[in-house]
Amino acid sequence: MSEPTLPPIGMLAELTHRCPLQCPYCSNPVELLKANLEMTTESWRALFDQAADLGVLQVHLSGGEPTLRPDLEALVRQLAGRGVYTNLITAGVGMPEGRIDDLAAAGLDHVQISFQGAFAPTTERISNHRGAHEKKIATAGQVRAAGLPLTINAPVHRHNMDEVPAFIDLALELGAERLEIANVQYAGWALLNRNALMPDRASVERQVEVVRQAQEQLYGILTIDFVTPDYFAMYPKPCMGGWARDAFVVAPDGTVLPCHAAGTIPNLVFERFGERDLAEIWQHSPAFSAFRGTSWMGEPCRSCDRKEIDWGGCRCQAMAIAGNARETDPACIKSPIHARMAALIEEATATEDCKFLYRRIGTSYLAGR
């Protein structure tokens, strides 16, 4: 029996893989797409129209760095005209004076700025971009001056986990409504850099307590979302709300995916917008149907009372660690290879060489701490 297909409500539009930063924790695929493979303005506008027709209520405009697209205002205007909520996910560097105002005038609803560190030296070391921290702070000021809501995103790993209290202070200083403490998920470039990024268990436990206390103390002042680290978990998270349940990702070339890393799963063929309508892909693509719902599950997932809570967890993580996307997510305590997570943590934290393989289109290189 086939699983019911409900309309999606969310979409992550990766407008480009180009980015001025070279963060080693990036979830973009290792094979980054060059600018000449990006969809045209007309194609993105057609896709956004079909997304709105399909039921999508919010679109996260991301990348890479979406502000590198000169047509960003036109795309925001297109979505606003269809009543779709837009969230710009930006590195916040290289933003020319007045760009935020132009985007706000086009109908942008929200801005999310990533900070690689709570302090300038950390931000520069992780992003490999001189002056990045000050540029981000300036962009945050422009966002608030334009009257737009602001989220600070803090991707957390071994090299900045002790800065979590300072991230909270920074979000308050910048007037953010929301702070996302996002423990790095190991896909794409982050998987390549796992040994250099993985924190130890004691640091994670301290972080959890800091965040818990701050959530209580700042309730009604600052919303703090916490993305738990899978490798230290007892149970998995529902990836993207569950495989092809209510959201999807579109890559710069128009490839439609259930999640960022889905392309790492062999034997799944992901279709490209333009070659097929978005509704047809969402409703009938074999790749989208592969892990939708619960009928695909084997044991212990099939009998688990959490199967409609986590929807099987992350298929890409199962692929990366168990070697089979149909296996139980190793993050789950019920997985027969759950102990492998602890072994990977031990292996990583025993690694003294913390050089990063920085993200870069067309090439990569090692650089020291």
Side-chain angles (χ1 to χ4, degrees):
M1 184 177 68
S2 62
E3 298 284 349
T5 305
L6 300 175
I9 60 172
M11 169 185 171
L12 178 65
E14 295 183 331
L15 300 179
T16 180
H17 278 165
R18 293 171 289 148
C19 185
L21 306 188
Q22 298 176 7
C23 305
Y25 63 78
C26 183
S27 62
N28 280 158
V30 175
E31 295 296 326
L32 296 164
L33 296 171
K34 297 182 180 180
N36 63 334
L37 297 176
E38 295 171 12
M39 281 207 297
T40 64
T41 305
E42 292 71 24
S43 294
W44 276 112
R45 292 183 65 173
L47 186 150
F48 289 148
D49 264 342
Q50 290 190 22
D53 291 341
L54 190 56
V56 169
L57 300 176
Q58 58 181 352
V59 170
H60 303 277
L61 300 163
S62 183
E65 176 49 55
T67 61
L68 292 176
R69 295 274 307 211
D71 57 357
L72 183 58
E73 287 83 352
L75 299 181
V76 169
R77 193 173 296 110
Q78 174 86 4
L79 289 163
R82 294 300 307 270
V84 177
Y85 186 94
T86 51
N87 173 37
L88 174 64
I89 302 174
T90 176
V93 302
M95 191 81 70
E97 192 72 31
R99 187 83 191 274
I100 290 293
D101 292 327
D102 291 342
L103 289 165
L108 184 67
D109 292 297
H110 184 274
V111 178
Q112 177 175 315
I113 302 175
S114 63
F115 276 80
Q116 288 67 45
F119 307 107
T122 309
T123 299
E124 291 193 6
R125 176 162 56 89
I126 302 300
S127 67
N128 204 31
H129 186 96
R130 183 169 296 179
H133 198 78
E134 292 78 10
K135 295 172 185 176
K136 292 170 182 288
I137 289 174
T139 299
Q142 294 172 29
V143 171
R144 303 305 290 131
L148 291 172
L150 173 66
T151 290
I152 299 302
N153 173 252
V156 174
H157 45 80
R158 181 194 304 187
H159 302 275
N160 64 4
M161 188 164 284
D162 60 346
E163 295 181 15
V164 167
F167 274 124
I168 296 169
D169 291 341
L170 178 65
L172 290 169
E173 291 168 9
L174 295 177
E177 284 81 7
R178 178 173 165 265
L179 168 65
E180 183 179 57
I181 302 292
N183 283 269
V184 165
Q185 308 297 297
Y186 296 100
W189 288 80
L191 184 58
L192 285 184
N193 285 288
R194 181 172 59 191
N195 281 1
L197 294 170
M198 184 77 72
D200 60 71
R201 189 171 298 277
S203 296
V204 171
E205 290 173 353
R206 287 195 300 271
Q207 173 204 213
V208 169
E209 182 58 23
V210 167
V211 172
R212 185 195 65 77
Q213 291 182 13
Q215 287 172 326
E216 291 180 0
Q217 295 168 1
L218 296 173
Y219 181 79
I221 299 171
L222 175 67
T223 299
I224 303 177
D225 294 334
F226 184 64
V227 179
T228 57
D230 285 346
Y231 282 56
F232 298 84
M234 296 287 284
Y235 297 104
K237 299 187 294 294
C239 178
M240 293 283 291
W243 183 278
R245 285 194 68 246
D246 58 20
F248 60 93
V249 178
V250 180
D253 66 350
T255 301
V256 186
L257 302 158
C259 74
H260 293 88
T264 62
I265 301 176
N267 304 320
L268 290 184
V269 177
F270 297 100
E271 297 172 272
R272 188 173 298 175
F273 175 74
E275 298 172 356
R276 201 174 187 194
D277 287 346
L278 188 60
E280 293 174 347
I281 296 173
W282 176 258
Q283 295 164 359
H284 304 301
S285 167
F288 272 63
S289 301
F291 303 112
R292 180 178 268 146
T294 60
S295 62
W296 62 272
M297 294 178 181
E299 296 297 346
C301 300
R302 184 182 292 273
S303 304
C304 183
D305 58 5
R306 294 180 55 86
K307 68 181 179 182
E308 293 187 3
I309 298 173
D310 58 41
W311 300 100
C314 181
R315 297 301 85 220
C316 305
Q317 190 158 259
M319 185 69 237
I321 298 174
N324 186 341
R326 305 193 73 84
E327 293 293 331
T328 302
D329 185 338
C332 183
I333 191 71
K334 298 181 181 181
S335 165
I337 63 166
H338 180 69
R340 193 173 297 178
M341 304 299 264
L344 288 169
I345 294 169
E346 183 176 357
E347 175 189 331
T349 53
T351 303
E352 295 183 2
D353 183 359
C354 288
K355 292 180 179 179
F356 299 136
L357 188 63
Y358 281 114
R359 174 200 190 279
R360 177 179 283 185
I361 290 179
T363 186
S364 58
Y365 65 96
L366 284 170
R369 298 175 62 184

